[in-house]
Amino acid sequence: SEQTGWLIQPANNEELKTALIKAIQISDNELTKKKNNAINKIKSELLWDDVILTLLNKIQNLKSKI
């Protein structure tokens, strides 16, 4: 997402070029915002404890439907 970095489609040289130019030209303030947004996203969505809890909840839901 634009809030946490630059999204580039695989094998798309033009998108890569554009993203690299943006990354080089970004202000320190905007880069810090992206960094903080990325850290917060990781903390809220990608920590193993949270991933495991989500997985366990989905398994429990599946078991209750059987």
Side-chain angles (χ1 to χ4, degrees):
S1 112
E2 286 292 321
Q3 294 177 342
T4 58
W6 296 269
L7 184 61
I8 304 164
Q9 296 299 316
N12 188 322
N13 292 338
E14 279 304 309
E15 281 188 21
L16 178 59
K17 177 183 172 183
T18 301
L20 287 171
I21 291 169
K22 286 180 181 179
I24 291 168
Q25 295 176 343
I26 195 170
S27 71
D28 288 344
N29 187 36
E30 285 298 312
L31 185 59
T32 298
K33 285 181 186 177
K34 283 184 185 291
K35 178 180 81 172
N36 289 334
N37 288 339
I39 289 169
N40 290 333
K41 182 175 181 71
I42 289 167
K43 285 181 179 178
S44 68
E45 297 178 22
L46 302 175
L47 294 180
W48 274 114
D49 290 347
D50 296 331
V51 171
I52 295 299
L53 286 176
T54 301
L55 180 60
L56 289 173
N57 286 333
K58 288 182 180 187
I59 291 170
Q60 288 295 334
N61 288 338
L62 288 173
K63 284 176 62 177
S64 68
K65 292 179 181 180
I66 296 177

